[in-house]
Amino acid sequence: MNEQRLSRVRRLMEEQGLEQIIVSATASVYYLTGLWVSPMERMLALYITQKDCALYANELFGLEPQSGLELILHSDGDEPTAQLSRRLLPGKLGVDKFWPSKFLIALLEDRGDLVPVQGSAPVDQARMYKDAQEIEAMRRASQVNDMVMEQVILALKEGAKEREIAALAEELYRQNGGDRGEGLIVSFGANCADPHHGPGDAVMAPGDSVVLDLFMPIGRYWCDMTRTVFFRQADEEQRRVYQAVLEANLAAEALLRPGVPLRQVDRAARQVIEEAGYGSYFTHRLGHGCGLECHEPPDNSAASQAVAQPGMVFSVEPGIYLPGRFGARIEDLVLLTEDGCEVLNKLPKTLQIIE
């Protein structure tokens, strides 16, 4: 068990009036225990109170006991919630937002004295503030991301297909410690107008914008960055759009420091794009938290209630998307420091035309 992280979660539980919670998300269990389990349809439940911490798991997961963590196993022939049901205190039970309903329903059928409530916040909020070990892991992951992006850009050539470039990026990640592939975004030409385009058989041609949104966990911690380049040439509007996106990215990063509401950061980037005449074509939030999951708190958007604080890591990724024509996005991961922010991605963002 990571006792320091567990203590932080317990303090947040107390502040939120939660006497007991069930943590089931793979990343959150790993954050606290160092055990990475993908349970699929089987039950995984980390039960936390101010005094106890017990992991309920299937024996097929092959887990070993560890200091500070009670391990309670069941088999496929058992009712998985039975032992947990006997342990729970009556009253309010904080439940992980990702815990399958089949397990919660079984508990409620057995224990009519339970009142389930949202219970993810204590761990989610603890995870928002990266400790020194996590910060170094994310710096390393972004260093790999810079290298992968640079190599992928060098590989762009006429006739290349989106799916071929995506496959190259995935292979480069695997060669440098990548944990698993997760559907990278590689878009050419008009496909760049779809912010979440899945790479297909589109062939790169002169005049295309090329959006490369490359991400993968490296040693469990995610990297995530986007660069847009142009193949052989960029016309006047492509240059204008790219410059607006670049200025929006830089304006948001320049504003970041502890105490700044993230909704103001989103507004700063959005205002640049609106003044350039493309406000209606910036169709998504400015960014998202990143860590053990690619998308996690804090939300970096116009609706965000989060305030920038040291230890937060999130993306800054403004974009402009012109349907049927082209699009551009620039994304960095940033780490909030005591007096500003550290941009984790070092690859240049000036307009680049691939010859």
Side-chain angles (χ1 to χ4, degrees), residues 159-220:
K161 293 182 179 181
E162 292 171 339
R163 66 171 73 252
E164 293 171 347
I165 298 301
L168 170 63
E170 290 176 357
E171 178 58 27
L172 288 169
Y173 279 127
R174 282 193 291 271
Q175 291 174 7
N176 289 275
D179 292 333
R180 60 194 185 280
E182 291 285 344
L184 310 178
I185 297 172
V186 175
S187 311
F188 299 160
N191 289 339
C192 297
D194 176 2
H196 287 161
H197 173 73
D201 289 322
V203 177
M204 190 167 65
D208 277 351
S209 59
V210 179
V211 172
L212 303 167
D213 188 346
L214 306 184
F215 44 87
M216 189 176 286
I218 310 292
R220 303 296 185 195

Side-chain angles (χ1 to χ4, degrees), residues 236-272:
E236 182 178 343
E237 184 165 34
Q238 287 174 322
R239 292 172 182 269
R240 189 164 59 246
V241 163
Y242 187 87
Q243 186 63 27
V245 172
L246 176 58
E247 290 178 5
N249 171 273
L250 295 175
E253 292 176 358
L255 183 61
L256 279 168
R257 62 185 182 278
V260 175
L262 294 191
R263 61 181 179 275
Q264 291 183 13
V265 182
D266 181 281
R267 177 93 288 274
R270 209 165 294 277
Q271 184 173 350
V272 171

Side-chain angles (χ1 to χ4, degrees), residues 64-96:
E64 296 292 336
Q66 59 173 273
S67 176
L69 178 65
E70 184 181 357
L71 183 60
I72 301 172
L73 301 177
H74 59 269
S75 69
D76 274 353
D78 300 327
E79 163 50 50
T81 62
Q83 296 164 301
L84 177 60
S85 179
R86 293 192 291 270
R87 180 76 162 268
L88 297 175
L89 304 171
K92 190 160 61 173
L93 172 67
V95 180
D96 193 316

Side-chain angles (χ1 to χ4, degrees), residues 195 241 243-253 255 262-288 299-304 315-321 329:
V241 163
Q243 186 63 27
V245 172
L246 176 58
E247 290 178 5
N249 171 273
L250 295 175
E253 292 176 358
L255 183 61
L262 294 191
R263 61 181 179 275
Q264 291 183 13
V265 182
D266 181 281
R267 177 93 288 274
R270 209 165 294 277
Q271 184 173 350
V272 171
I273 291 176
E274 289 170 355
E275 291 175 352
Y278 294 99
S280 62
Y281 300 104
F282 180 10
T283 54
H284 54 73
R285 62 186 175 178
L286 181 61
H288 54 84
D299 178 34
N300 183 14
S301 75
S304 179
S315 66
V316 175
E317 49 180 304
I320 294 173
Y321 312 94
R329 179 166 66 253

